[in-house]
Amino acid sequence: MTPAGAAPGPIARAAHGRRRLPWRTRSPWRGTARPSWLLGAALFVLLAVAAASQAIAGRGGADPRAPTTLLELREAEASVDIDGARHTLRAALPYHWDRRHPGSAGSARFVIDFALDEVPEVPWAAFIGRVGNAYEIRLNDLLLSRAGELDVPDDADFAKVPKLMTIPVGLLRQANRLELLIRADVGRRAGLAPIVLGPETTVRSVHDSASRFRVRGSMVVVAVSLLAGVIALMLWLTQVDGDARGRPRRDALYLYAWGAELCFALRMSDALIERPPLSWPAWNAVTTGALGGWVGCLTLFCMVLVDQDRVRSSAWRRALPALAIASGAAAGFASVAWARPMVLTAWQGVLAVACIVFCIAYLVRTVRNPAPMQRLVAAALVLNVAVGLRDWAVFRLSDAYGHDTLLRYTALAFGLSLGYIAIQRFRTATSQARELLANLSDRVAERESALAESHRQYDVLSREQARVGERERILRDMHDGVGSSLSAAIRQLQGGQVGSDAVVATLRDALDRLKLSIDAMSVPPGDVVALLANLRHRLEPRLVGAGLALEWEVSEMAPVARFDAEAMRVLQSLVLEAVSNVLQHAGANTLRIEAEEVATGPRVRIIDDGRGFDASTRGPRAIAARAGTLHARLAVDGTPGRTTVEIVLPRAVP
C-alpha cells in the first residue's frame, strides 16, 4: 500500500525512467514500390501504439502521466476456496488464478485495509484492470459493484473489461476496508489486478486509457477484420477466370483471406463478449478453433501468393484450415473439460513451432523471388510470428496478469497486405485492360478499313451487276418483244397474204416495245402511276392512228414497296399485252384505262367496247402468267361491248 502524498511508486518511477530509442531513418522497405513503404510505416506505427498500450496495462493500468497522489493497492489478505478446502494467505497483486491454481476452479475473498491522511471532499473512484470471472466489491461494508453469479461456475465472464467504480463523497474514511469476492473458472484468466484509487477525474483517465486499447481497440480490430473479410469474399465471388478447359475458376487467394479474416474476427470478439452464446468449454473450443483457422487460412494465403497451382493440386495443403480448426477446437475443449490447461499450452506451442518453420521457408522463397507482394506478406508474417511468440510466452508461460495481446493489432498487417495486393492487381488488370483496349482499337480500325474497302469493291461490283442486269433486261425485252414482232412482220411479208397496213402495225408494235423498254429504265421502282403515264405517252399516238378514243382515269397511289425493277418490267409487259390485244383483235372504238387504290393495293383496269370473247375458253394465257409472277389477282370479263381486264396488285404477299 502507498498512502496519499508518499514517495512516487513503481508507476511514477517507470514513467520517469523510460528511455527513448534512437530513431532509424533508413526504411526497411528500400527497393520496393512506394505503397509497400507506406504499409511498412503503418505497421511500425501500429506496433508502437500497441506496445505503448501494453506498457500501461502491464503496470496495472495506471497512466504514467497521472499524478503521483494515486493510491495503488498491491497486497491483500486472501481466503481461497478450492474443492471445499479453504486456504488463507497473504497475497501480492496481481493475483493470477490460473498460475496459482492451474486446472482448478473455485472462489476467493480478498480483504484490503488501507488508511488515508484525511477524508477526501471530492468524489473518488476505483480502477481495476481485471477482476473476476464474477465478482462482488464492497467498501466499508457498502456494495460498490457486482457482476455475474458467484455460485454458478462457467457462467458469464466479466473479467475481460477494465472496471471503474465511483466512490461517493462520505464513503471513504481515514481507516477503510475493501472486500472483493470473485468466482474463478478454469483456463479463463481469473484473478485480481492491482487496485488504483484516487480522485474520480484522474482515475477515469487511467480507466479510459486501458479501455481504449482493450475494448475500443478490439472493436476496431473486429470491425476492420469483418470489413476486410467481406471485401475478400466479394472479390472471390466476382473475380472469375476460365481454366484451360474453359471452366470458371475463382482466385483462391481471396477465399483464404476471407476465411482468415472471419476466423480472426471471431477470435478477437471473445474479448468483447461477456456472455458467450455457448457454455465455457464449448465457447473456448470455438475461439481456439478460430485461432487455428486463422493460422491455417493465412498459411494457404501465403502459399497461394507464391504458387497457386501447387495449392490447388495438393489435397493436404487445402485441408490445412480444417485440420487447424479441428485440432484447436479439441485442444480448447479438452483443456477446460479435463482441467488440463497444459493441453492448450502445448497445442499453441506446436502451432508456434510450425509457424516458425513456415516463416523461415517463406522467407527463403521470398529471397529467391523478391516480388513486392511477397516481400510485404513476408514482413507481415515475420511480425506476426514474433508477436505471437511473445503473446504465447506472456499468456501461457509467465505469471504476467493484466497484459493485453499485441497480436490483435499486428494481425491487421495481413488485412493491409490484402488491400495492397487487391490494389496492385486492380492496377495490373487496369493496365492490361488499357493495352487490350488499345490493341482492340487498332484491330477494329484495321477491320473498319478492310470493311470500307470491301464495301467500295461491293459497290463497284453492284453497279457493274446493275449495268449487266439492265443490258440483259434490254436484250431480253428486245428478244421477247421487238424480236418477236419483227419475226412476225417478216412472216407476214413472206406469206404475201396480208396487206401493208398489217405489216406496218406489227412494226409499230415492235418500235413501241423498244421505246417502252428504254423508258422503263427511268421509272422509279413500285411507282404504278408513273409506269401507266409512260405507257400513255408512248401508245397514245398509235391509238389515235388506229381510230381508238382513249379515256384516262388514274388516281394518285403510293408506290408498291415490294416491286423492284424486274417486277415493274413484268407489269409493263402485262399492261402492254392487254392494250395490244385490244388494238389487234377487239375492233373497239374506245379504250379506257382506270387505276385506283383499293383495300389490298393498286387496281388497274383496261376496258374496251369491242366484240369481246369467251374468257372461259380463250383466256389470255400470257397475261395470266405475268400476273402470277407478280402475285397479282387477275380478273377477265369478255362481255361484248365491255371487255375488262382487271389487275389487283397486293402490297403485302402472304
Side-chain angles (χ1 to χ4, degrees):
M1 297 181 292
T2 305
I11 297 177
R13 289 197 303 269
H16 295 292
R18 188 179 295 116
R19 293 190 306 164
R20 290 181 178 270
L21 295 177
W23 177 259
R24 299 190 59 165
T25 57
R26 181 180 178 183
S27 171
W29 300 91
R30 186 179 300 275
T32 62
R34 183 175 178 84
S36 301
W37 184 91
L38 293 176
L39 287 175
L43 294 179
F44 181 82
V45 172
L46 189 67
L47 184 59
V49 172
S53 69
Q54 180 60 31
I56 295 173
R59 291 173 172 81
D63 190 341
R65 298 171 299 176
T68 58
T69 56
L70 289 178
L71 180 64
E72 186 176 30
L73 308 179
R74 285 187 171 271
E75 291 184 353
E77 296 292 335
S79 298
V80 180
D81 293 327
I82 299 176
D83 297 331
R86 174 166 294 182
H87 308 277
T88 302
L89 68 153
R90 184 72 176 176
L93 304 183
Y95 191 89
H96 195 332
W97 182 276
D98 289 332
R99 294 295 176 268
R100 301 291 185 92
H101 316 286
S104 298
S107 62
R109 177 176 178 266
F110 298 91
V111 178
I112 305 175
D113 294 319
F114 63 96
L116 300 176
D117 293 339
E118 57 184 18
V119 178
E121 297 179 356
V122 296
W124 272 35
F127 166 72
I128 308 177
R130 192 174 186 92
V131 58
N133 305 109
Y135 63 87
E136 179 181 291
I137 303 174
R138 293 179 179 272
L139 176 62
N140 296 330
D141 296 327
L142 182 66
L143 182 65
L144 277 184
S145 180
R146 177 186 175 93
E149 300 295 333
L150 295 175
D151 55 351
V152 180
D154 295 336
D155 196 26
D157 182 7
F158 293 93
K160 300 176 179 180
V161 179
K163 303 300 185 294
L164 177 69
M165 294 155 287
T166 301
I167 302 175
V169 176
L171 182 57
L172 285 171
R173 310 164 188 166
Q174 286 186 321
N176 301 275
R177 169 166 286 194
L178 186 62
E179 183 180 358
L180 303 96
L181 302 176
I182 69 168
R183 185 201 78 226
D185 301 327
V186 177
R188 221 167 183 180
R189 298 192 68 206
L192 178 62
I195 303 166
V196 179
L197 297 173
E200 181 182 7
T201 55
T202 305
V203 175
R204 185 175 295 278
S205 66
V206 177
H207 169 268
D208 292 345
S209 179
S211 297
R212 185 177 301 114
F213 296 100
R214 187 184 300 180
V215 180
R216 298 175 191 172
S218 297
M219 294 174 62
V220 171
V221 167
V222 171
V224 171
S225 296
L226 289 176
L227 178 62
V230 170
I231 294 175
L233 179 61
M234 296 303 297
L235 289 173
W236 180 72
L237 291 175
T238 56
Q239 302 298 313
V240 182
D241 295 325
D243 58 10
R245 299 181 181 179
R247 296 175 300 182
R249 187 175 74 171
R250 292 182 171 87
D251 195 339
L253 182 77
Y254 299 124
L255 176 63
Y256 296 129
W258 167 70
E261 295 297 340
L262 181 64
C263 290
F264 189 73
L266 178 59
R267 173 70 178 182
M268 289 299 103
S269 65
D270 179 55
L272 305 172
I273 301 175
E274 294 179 331
R275 298 181 181 274
L278 304 174
S279 64
W280 166 232
W283 182 245
N284 192 44
V286 170
T287 56
T288 308
L291 175 62
W294 177 66
V295 173
C297 288
L298 280 183
T299 301
L300 288 182
F301 174 84
C302 298
M303 295 171 67
V304 167
L305 190 62
V306 174
D307 191 348
Q308 183 168 176
D309 293 333
R310 177 173 295 182
V311 176
R312 289 182 181 276
S313 62
S314 177
W316 73 266
R317 287 187 175 92
R318 296 196 306 271
L320 276 178
L323 293 175
I325 291 174
S327 62
F333 185 84
S335 66
V336 176
W338 299 345
R340 294 290 185 270
M342 284 304 298
V343 174
L344 182 56
T345 302
W347 178 81
Q348 290 184 356
V350 172
L351 192 66
V353 172
C355 290
I356 293 173
V357 173
F358 177 77
C359 182
I360 294 174
Y362 194 82
L363 286 176
V364 171
R365 183 64 179 264
T366 302
V367 170
R368 294 177 179 175
N369 182 24
M373 293 184 186
Q374 288 183 219
R375 284 185 287 183
L376 181 62
V377 173
L381 183 63
V382 171
L383 177 63
N384 279 271
V385 169
V387 173
L389 288 174
R390 174 263 175 198
D391 285 353
W392 177 66
V394 168
F395 291 103
R396 303 304 302 179
L397 301 180
S398 73
D399 292 333
Y401 190 71
H403 289 66
D404 291 329
T405 172
L406 296 183
L407 193 62
R408 75 179 68 180
Y409 304 110
T410 58
L412 294 177
F414 286 107
L416 296 175
S417 300
L418 175 63
Y420 172 71
I421 291 172
I423 292 174
Q424 288 298 102
R425 290 192 171 188
F426 176 77
R427 291 177 59 187
T428 301
T430 303
S431 176
Q432 293 176 349
R434 286 197 295 265
E435 292 178 1
L436 289 175
L437 185 61
N439 293 335
L440 182 61
S441 299
D442 293 341
R443 296 179 63 182
V444 168
E446 293 176 359
R447 293 295 179 88
E448 287 180 347
S449 176
L451 185 61
E453 179 63 20
S454 298
H455 278 301
R456 188 189 65 78
Q457 295 179 359
Y458 176 77
D459 291 341
V460 173
L461 292 176
S462 297
R463 289 193 295 269
E464 183 64 26
Q465 288 179 352
R467 287 193 293 268
V468 172
E470 191 63 22
R471 293 190 192 101
E472 292 178 350
R473 184 188 68 79
I474 294 174
L475 292 175
R476 186 168 54 252
D477 289 348
M478 292 180 65
H479 177 271
D480 296 341
V482 178
S484 59
S485 297
L486 291 177
S487 298
I490 292 173
R491 288 195 298 272
Q492 289 173 346
L493 291 173
Q494 290 176 344
Q497 299 179 356
V498 294
S500 60
D501 293 339
V503 176
V504 171
T506 302
L507 293 175
R508 284 178 176 172
D509 181 70
L511 182 60
D512 290 338
R513 289 180 181 275
L514 179 60
K515 292 178 179 180
L516 288 172
S517 296
I518 297 173
D519 292 342
M521 297 173 61
S522 60
V523 177
D527 194 344
V528 178
V529 175
L531 184 144
L532 294 176
N534 189 56
L535 282 171
R536 178 183 180 181
H537 172 70
R538 291 299 180 187
L539 296 180
E540 189 170 16
R542 183 178 172 190
L543 295 176
V544 172
L548 274 174
L550 177 64
E551 296 181 359
W552 183 267
E553 187 175 350
V554 177
S555 304
E556 289 293 330
M557 296 176 292
V560 181
R562 66 184 184 90
F563 277 12
D564 56 8
E566 179 63 20
M568 296 296 288
R569 186 189 67 81
V570 173
L571 177 61
Q572 177 182 270
S573 299
L574 190 156
V575 176
L576 181 60
E577 182 71 21
V579 173
S580 296
N581 288 339
V582 173
L583 286 171
Q584 297 178 14
H585 309 295
N589 296 317
T590 304
L591 174 65
R592 180 179 179 81
I593 297 179
E594 298 177 355
E596 63 180 345
E597 184 76 25
V598 295
T600 57
R603 181 180 67 184
V604 180
R605 286 180 174 178
I606 297 96
I607 306 171
D608 68 85
D609 58 355
R611 63 177 64 92
F613 63 93
D614 186 359
S616 60
T617 59
R618 298 174 52 194
R621 290 188 295 272
I623 294 177
R626 291 188 173 95
T629 302
L630 298 175
H631 299 282
R633 188 177 72 248
L634 178 66
V636 179
D637 182 6
T639 302
R642 187 175 174 79
T643 300
T644 305
V645 176
E646 180 181 286
I647 308 157
V648 179
L649 306 170
R651 295 187 180 277
V653 177

